[in-house]
Amino acid sequence: MDEQQNIAKQYDPSQVEDRLYSKWMEEGYFHAVPDSKKKPYTIVIPPPNITGQLHMGHALDNTLQDILIRTKRMQGYSALWLPGTDHASIATEAKLVDALAKEGITKDMLGREKFLEKAWEWRKIYGGRIVEQLKKLGSSCDWERERFTMDEGLSKAVQEVFLKLYDKGLIYKGERITNWCPKCNTSISDIEVEFEEQAGHFWYIKYPVKDSDEFVVIATTRPETLLGDTAVAVNPEDERFIHLVGKTLILPLVNKEIPVIADSYVDKEFGTGCVKITPAHDPNDYEVGLRHNLPQIRIMDDKAIMNDNAGQYKGLDRYEARKKILEDLEKLGLLVKIEDHTHNVGTCQRCRTVIEPLISKQWYVRMKPLAEPALEVVRNGTIKFVPERFSKIYFNWMENIQDWCISRQLWWGHRIPAYYCLECGHIMVQASDPDVCPKCGSTRIEQDPDTLDTWFSSALWPFSTLGWPEKTEDLEYFYPTDVLVTGYDIIFFWVARMIFSGMEHMKEAPFKTVFIHGIVKDPQGRKMSKSLGNGIDPLEVIAQYGTDALRFALTIGNSPGNDMRFSTEKVESSRNFANKVWNASRFVLMNFDENIDFSKVDKSKFTVADRWIISRINTVTKEVTENIDKFELGLGLQKVYDFIWEEFCDWYIEMVKPRLYDRESTGRLEVQYVLNFVLGNAMKLLHPYMPFITEEIYNHLINDGRSIMISQWPQYSEELNFADDESKMKIIMDAIRNIRNIRAEMNVPPAKRAKMIFVTSGENEKATLTEGATFIQRLAGASEIVVQADKEGIPADAVGTVIAGVEIFIPLDELIDIEKEIERLNKEKINLEGELKRVDGKLNNEGFVAKAPPKVIEEEKAKRDKYQDMHQKVVERLESLKK
RNA sequence: GGGAGCUUAGCUCAGCUGGGAGAGCGUCUGCCUUACAAGCAGAGGGUCGUAGGUUCGAGCCCUACAGUUCCCACCA
């Protein structure tokens, strides 16, 4: 076949990938519809941010999802992989603000409406970018169903949920201390605060006692908050200070009177035992303040600039204020000492700015009632984490859950459906803009300016994307989804919230399995990050090595939940495998005749090798299918890899070459059939992992002409299990390996062909060796093969070896180095003695014989017999050489 | 302070329910053998972190310890 003869020696993914992806799209293979004849299988994508760029984490996450969905599609499910993107309110808004700043424009200059117009423009430009990048990965998403968290339907779902939870009293507005990011200018939830160890100081400051010479010393890491102090607390059982409780202190610099209070929150052992209490700027102090009815004095504005309450420090940034305050305290002789102190500082996940806890009015979700069903559904196994250990992390978090702050002082996002009467302050939470206040009749009504936490909408993703709150056919058919694939870093942000949302609004868990993967790290084991600049761009890897190689590298040798290092060496070896597959296929295709008619195949012409490889792919099919079912994707891939490279390429193809090179040979058609069958099935098993190359090859093989994507997943069949042929092949392969070993060790030139004599008394061995003679000739470089029952006619200086039940001799024309041969045989002898010692150790152990399963004992006995026989023959051989 | 993971060949990692230690890369030797030098054949290399325990039998189960990474908590 001329066309096939011309296939390039090296696989070029760039010639294949885009072409095939377009074809799949055109054919609509990714599209899934409710089909009563099929079972549904659903995965919803973790929606990437619209401003995002594909990174290795995405590449891994989506490769794993694609492997699962492609497998299930081939297995006959109506397999839906539902894609989409997330508006990522805080991230997008921050980027847009930065971009505008470069043009000298601020949010306020634009106004809300204009700003949102800009944001939607951005979404148009960048939202599509990540989608195109996912396509480069080969993701078989149903793009006809692509969703966006701010789509009309999804926004409807968000509103519906907000109203529902508000009506149930599960959403409330409250004034309390929250995490505030002065840079992003918004409140954030607890999990968006990342603690970072920083080197800081402990400043010891004197607070004089009123009308006394006495004073207390407090230790603080944040002296600027002194301005907002409304008490100093001591432990009620601290005898050192108990006499001061109830007395009044003079707050330095401010010269205000504050009380000394007793609260068990104070640790006697830590610091000085006296704690300044700043209810408006510290979460713990806030709690203490509530217990003791202390005033809350905010001393900073939303940008962490000191406000009116800071008196002379007004207008200073919090760190400038700190410096100034310390100077002033120093002057007054109130700064006692300074110690170095490393402590954890809360920073904004988004921008790394140090969080300023502030008192403000925010919307919260009451979590306790929602957490209970979400815990139960994991406890009772309705939802399983893979690996299982992550359920513990989930429990730990969910059991100690705090109310969720959901309002954000941002513009880009779902606006909170709450309206305020400007006359009487009445709050209306409803779907549409009210005309008049039902309480006072005023028409002066304003909507809450805040938007919702991005995760509020992603929490609804598994059902909002399927049409909820409408009762759609899709929702009915595809919900609940089957697997959620994600990294362990977003279990709290997303997984947990989807679970309680699913339970609350659908009364059903949103998925059955949470398949957790680790983080992709750089070759030195560091997390890939922008600031380190150590990220490896998956798109560059694809451009250089191909998508299949990237996917292979991300999957091979990786086990669920574990982090992995990514290196170009790994991609190179992955690329090499793709090339190997390519060339094996090239070989197969080059050796097909025109107008092959497999209906003429005569199975009686199958050789031991044919049945062996069929039996092997049959077993591998079973194993790989099981591995994928158990989410052991790396193990499954390893098995396909080993099968293709070692068994199919290194053994089977090498063994069938003589039958293919001779166009008149009997069984030529049968070989072609077996090659086509085995390679075809191997490509199917490999397809979920390496979709492009497998499709390209499958298209050239002889089959029903359908795309491999929608072909049927191979089935294990008992009829294709040929145990006899597998054991025969073991003899043949052992013989070949041993002979190759001798030849290498005895420095026999590779090109030199030699006569080989096999001595065996076993009928089975004899028949097998005769049957496999051509294979041995070719693969072990034999010129002639003789199988005989005794050592008749074997020259004394022949080199030799032994496998189970068979002695092998190679008479060489030249004189051999007897010493070297003795040395080599001695090595064999020592090896066998080691094996015998181990087996005997077991069989001579009474406990083993009494308690081990009979099958294990039988196996050990068989091994002992085999090794004893081999050992005896090696010893005899050594003795005859020493003469 | 609490919790989890990891520790296996020079490097990076697999090892499913306990039954003779594996892969890739690297190293050494020999090969351009008409699918593939991004390849073929062969070799070397591990007391599976340490110490106990359970078991006929432990890389795998239990306990303690050491090193390491991460998560949660956040004592000013």
Side-chain angles (χ1 to χ4, degrees):
Chain A
M1 301 180 102
D2 293 344
E3 182 203 340
Q4 283 156 4
Q5 295 281 5
N6 290 335
I7 301 175
K9 275 187 169 187
Q10 289 185 354
Y11 174 60
D12 180 1
S14 68
Q15 299 292 308
V16 173
E17 294 176 354
D18 290 346
R19 187 184 82 233
L20 291 181
Y21 198 87
S22 302
K23 190 189 109 185
W24 293 333
M25 287 282 278
E26 280 162 27
E27 298 290 336
Y29 294 150
F30 301 160
H31 187 51
V33 288
D35 179 346
S36 58
K37 293 190 289 291
K38 290 178 172 182
K39 280 195 277 183
Y41 185 87
T42 315
I43 296 178
V44 290
I45 204 170
N49 293 352
I50 45 169
T51 58
Q53 281 258 47
L54 193 81
H55 56 63
M56 276 300 170
H58 293 125
L60 172 65
D61 189 54
N62 290 290
T63 295
L64 298 179
Q65 291 174 75
D66 200 38
I67 291 167
L68 295 174
I69 208 84
R70 283 179 185 270
T71 304
K72 292 294 167 181
R73 193 181 288 119
M74 289 170 75
Q75 287 175 346
Y77 290 80
S78 184
L80 169 62
W81 184 11
L82 202 160
T85 48
D86 193 298
H87 66 284
S89 67
I90 191 165
T92 305
E93 182 153 332
K95 281 197 182 175
L96 185 50
V97 166
D98 283 352
L100 290 171
K102 280 181 192 145
E103 299 171 40
I105 305 172
T106 66
K107 260 172 83 176
D108 290 330
M109 286 163 69
L110 277 178
R112 187 164 191 141
E113 225 164 280
K114 280 263 170 1
F115 180 84
L116 287 178
E117 273 172 32
K118 288 259 181 208
W120 279 103
E121 274 172 36
W122 256 52
R123 190 251 159 171
K124 246 190 205 159
I125 301 166
Y126 297 112
R129 184 178 59 185
I130 188 89
V131 167
E132 289 314 304
Q133 292 171 338
L134 286 171
K135 290 178 179 171
K136 289 293 285 182
L137 254 188
S139 310
S140 61
C141 302
D142 185 352
W143 297 110
E144 289 174 44
R145 293 171 184 275
E146 186 187 337
R147 296 287 187 271
F148 174 54
T149 44
M150 280 173 71
D151 277 351
E152 204 184 324
L154 276 74
S155 299
K156 180 90 198 308
V158 165
Q159 194 179 66
E160 176 87 9
V161 164
F162 190 96
L163 300 182
K164 227 176 117 188
L165 292 178
Y166 180 79
D167 286 343
K168 284 184 81 172
L170 292 175
I171 281 182
Y172 63 93
K173 192 172 190 183
E175 183 168 34
R176 64 164 74 164
I177 197 146
T178 11
N179 305 297
W180 187 273
C181 175
K183 173 119 184 288
C184 298
N185 233 300
T186 179
S187 58
I188 56 176
S189 66
D190 294 347
I191 47 176
E192 285 164 282
V193 178
E194 286 183 354
F195 285 92
E196 209 174 77
E197 201 162 81
Q198 287 185 1
H201 302 281
F202 246 151
W203 286 279
Y204 289 77
I205 302 168
K206 278 186 192 171
Y207 284 26
V209 178
K210 189 186 174 191
D211 302 329
S212 154
D213 295 337
E214 246 188 309
F215 53 81
V216 299
V217 177
I218 57 92
T220 181
T221 54
R222 304 191 52 202
E224 68 279 13
T225 61
L226 170 156
L227 304 173
D229 283 359
T230 51
V232 163
V234 299
N235 189 289
E237 282 160 22
D238 193 335
E239 286 164 12
R240 293 174 296 173
F241 306 117
I242 199 73
H243 67 283
L244 292 171
V245 175
K247 295 233 167 107
T248 302
L249 305 174
I250 304 298
L251 185 59
L253 306 177
V254 187
N255 293 322
K256 208 178 64 183
E257 297 185 359
I258 57 172
V260 176
I261 58 170
D263 196 287
S264 56
Y265 154 72
V266 179
D267 180 351
K268 286 195 285 187
E269 311 301 319
F270 193 81
T272 61
C274 304
V275 184
K276 62 192 268 318
I277 301 297
T278 322
H281 290 281
D282 180 278
N284 290 307
D285 293 4
Y286 174 78
E287 295 296 329
V288 174
L290 288 185
R291 283 197 288 275
H292 298 268
N293 271 317
L294 298 174
Q296 300 162 342
I297 303 174
R298 255 189 79 164
I299 54 164
M300 293 175 216
D301 67 11
D302 290 352
K303 296 206 157 123
I305 306 293
M306 307 313 280
N307 65 13
D308 288 341
N309 291 329
Q312 54 175 312
Y313 304 99
K314 184 188 169 184
L316 294 178
D317 161 87
R318 53 185 163 167
Y319 298 114
E320 292 166 0
R322 176 181 297 179
K323 217 174 138 195
K324 188 83 193 348
I325 285 169
L326 286 167
E327 282 169 14
D328 293 347
L329 287 168
E330 176 88 77
K331 279 182 209 153
L332 293 170
L334 295 173
L335 187 58
V336 183
K337 64 171 173 171
I338 306 172
E339 273 176 5
D340 286 340
H341 179 63
T342 56
H343 57 149
N344 282 331
V345 178
T347 64
C348 171
Q349 183 195 41
R350 182 83 238 136
C351 68
R352 299 262 139 212
T353 302
V354 174
I355 289 304
E356 188 59 50
L358 290 180
I359 289 177
S360 62
K361 267 195 177 172
Q362 302 292 341
W363 290 90
Y364 292 88
V365 176
R366 204 181 298 284
M367 286 307 304
K368 286 280 181 236
L370 292 166
E372 219 18 75
L375 279 165
E376 180 53 25
V377 81
V378 177
R379 282 195 196 114
N380 69 21
T382 308
I383 294 177
K384 286 192 179 67
F385 278 84
V386 175
E388 207 270 325
R389 67 182 133 96
F390 288 103
S391 49
K392 218 178 220 178
I393 292 172
Y394 172 82
F395 288 141
N396 183 48
W397 189 71
M398 209 46 130
E399 281 163 4
N400 299 296
I401 190 103
Q402 301 294 312
D403 284 357
W404 174 19
C405 175
I406 49 170
S407 46
R408 296 290 178 274
Q409 289 61 52
L410 300 168
W411 288 347
W412 178 239
H414 302 97
R415 192 155 172 187
I416 292 174
Y419 303 85
Y420 308 106
C421 172
L422 298 180
E423 292 295 334
C424 72
H426 181 58
I427 299 180
M428 295 151 272
V429 173
Q430 56 191 73
S432 57
D433 210 335
D435 295 328
V436 290
C437 172
K439 213 170 159 191
C440 72
S442 165
T443 53
R444 291 185 54 226
I445 291 169
E446 260 184 17
Q447 183 171 5
D448 193 310
D450 291 354
T451 52
L452 290 164
D453 183 0
T454 289
W455 298 103
F456 191 87
S457 57
S458 4
L460 320 178
W461 190 249
F463 46 92
S464 65
T465 52
L466 289 168
W468 189 90
E470 307 304 322
K471 286 196 168 102
T472 62
E473 191 191 0
D474 281 350
L475 188 62
E476 178 65 30
Y477 185 78
F478 290 113
Y479 191 91
T481 71
D482 289 85
V483 190
L484 186 93
V485 183
T486 194
Y488 56 71
D489 49 337
I490 59 170
I491 291 176
F492 304 146
F493 285 104
W494 194 42
V495 179
R497 287 162 175 173
M498 279 190 289
I499 295 177
F500 74 68
S501 300
M503 295 310 292
E504 173 67 17
H505 309 295
M506 297 296 294
K507 305 296 166 211
E508 198 175 3
F511 28 73
K512 297 163 191 131
T513 303
V514 182
F515 179 34
I516 299 286
H517 62 249
I519 304 272
V520 187
K521 298 182 166 172
D522 79 354
Q524 284 102 59
R526 299 170 305 178
K527 210 168 156 176
M528 289 185 186
S529 75
K530 267 186 201 150
S531 51
L532 274 175
N534 62 340
I536 301 174
D537 182 354
L539 296 167
E540 280 175 22
V541 174
I542 288 172
Q544 200 177 345
Y545 298 96
T547 297
D548 289 330
L550 171 66
R551 292 170 59 124
F552 185 100
L554 287 169
T555 315
I556 194 74
N558 185 229
S559 60
N562 285 4
D563 291 347
M564 62 187 304
R565 296 188 200 200
F566 190 91
S567 62
T568 49
E569 287 77 20
K570 208 165 178 180
V571 195
E572 271 173 24
S573 67
S574 306
R575 184 268 321 261
N576 292 353
F577 175 61
N579 201 45
K580 184 73 184 178
V581 170
W582 182 251
N583 277 295
S585 308
R586 219 158 59 87
F587 170 83
V588 169
L589 297 171
M590 281 165 63
N591 286 287
F592 275 178
D593 294 325
E594 278 178 72
N595 305 317
I596 286 185
D597 181 0
F598 284 149
S599 70
K600 296 204 174 84
V601 165
D602 177 358
K603 291 192 178 170
S604 71
K605 286 184 183 165
F606 281 176
T607 64
V608 57
D610 297 334
R611 283 186 299 270
W612 165 76
I613 198 73
I614 288 171
S615 190
R616 285 297 306 142
I617 187 71
N618 191 39
T619 303
V620 169
T621 294
K622 184 180 173 187
E623 291 176 353
V624 171
T625 306
E626 283 170 5
N627 285 138
I628 294 176
D629 282 346
K630 283 150 69 182
F631 300 98
E632 296 163 351
L633 305 186
L635 273 183
L637 179 55
Q638 184 74 50
K639 280 175 191 159
V640 183
Y641 174 94
D642 289 343
F643 173 80
I644 291 176
W645 202 310
E646 288 168 21
E647 298 183 294
F648 186 67
C649 291
D650 293 345
W651 286 102
Y652 186 68
I653 284 183
E654 292 307 322
M655 286 190 292
V656 299
K657 277 178 177 173
R659 279 198 285 168
L660 288 169
Y661 289 162
D662 176 5
R663 297 189 72 89
E664 305 306 318
S665 72
T666 57
R668 184 178 159 82
L669 177 68
E670 283 70 24
V671 175
Q672 291 167 339
Y673 171 82
V674 175
L675 286 169
N676 188 69
F677 173 79
V678 174
L679 182 59
N681 276 359
M683 288 306 95
K684 287 183 181 183
L685 297 181
L686 188 59
H687 178 259
Y689 298 97
M690 305 178 90
F692 294 110
I693 192 172
T694 51
E695 171 78 311
E696 183 69 1
I697 291 167
Y698 192 77
N699 283 338
H700 284 96
L701 293 176
I702 296 165
N703 50 52
D704 63 7
R706 300 211 308 170
S707 161
I708 194 170
M709 258 198 77
I710 52 164
S711 70
Q712 206 203 1
W713 187 255
Q715 303 272 315
Y716 172 80
S717 161
E718 205 51 56
E719 285 168 30
L720 298 182
N721 192 13
F722 304 117
D724 268 7
D725 295 281
E726 289 200 32
S727 60
K728 281 181 183 171
M729 273 298 295
K730 187 175 180 329
I731 294 171
I732 294 166
M733 287 159 77
D734 276 351
I736 292 168
R737 270 192 284 253
N738 273 29
I739 294 164
R740 282 171 171 172
N741 181 303
I742 293 179
R743 295 183 61 126
E745 296 221 344
M746 299 304 286
N747 296 322
V748 179
K752 182 176 168 64
R753 299 173 66 77
K755 179 180 175 178
M756 292 170 193
I757 305 166
F758 296 82
V759 178
T760 179
S761 55
E763 287 307 316
N764 182 43
E765 283 79 1
K766 207 181 274 180
T768 301
L769 290 166
T770 308
E771 201 176 350
T774 53
F775 304 140
I776 297 168
Q777 253 173 39
R778 179 179 166 79
L779 301 184
S783 55
E784 183 190 349
I785 282 180
V786 178
V787 183
Q788 57 190 49
D790 53 34
K791 296 187 189 168
E792 193 70 36
I794 294 172
D797 62 350
V799 293
T801 182
V802 54
I803 61 170
V806 184
E807 275 184 278
I808 303 169
F809 297 95
I810 309 173
L812 295 170
D813 302 336
E814 309 87 46
L815 282 178
I816 61 153
D817 184 338
I818 298 284
E819 287 309 313
K820 206 169 174 183
E821 174 69 351
I822 289 175
E823 190 189 322
R824 200 181 54 77
L825 284 166
N826 259 324
K827 216 167 80 185
E828 282 191 29
K829 179 169 162 259
I830 290 164
N831 273 341
L832 287 166
E833 281 164 357
E835 296 294 347
L836 271 172
K837 195 179 163 198
R838 195 189 52 76
V839 176
D840 282 338
K842 281 196 168 185
L843 289 171
N844 294 337
N845 180 336
E846 282 174 30
F848 178 76
V849 182
K851 294 187 180 173
K855 190 179 153 233
V856 176
I857 297 173
E858 283 313 307
E859 281 168 7
E860 292 299 321
K861 280 184 177 165
K863 281 180 208 162
R864 180 172 61 185
D865 295 347
K866 184 177 87 181
Y867 292 135
Q868 273 175 350
D869 179 55
M870 289 168 74
H871 182 256
Q872 187 192 336
K873 282 170 178 159
V874 171
V875 170
E876 282 169 15
R877 181 92 194 103
L878 273 168
E879 276 165 9
S880 76
L881 280 179
K882 281 173 187 162
K883 276 174 195 166

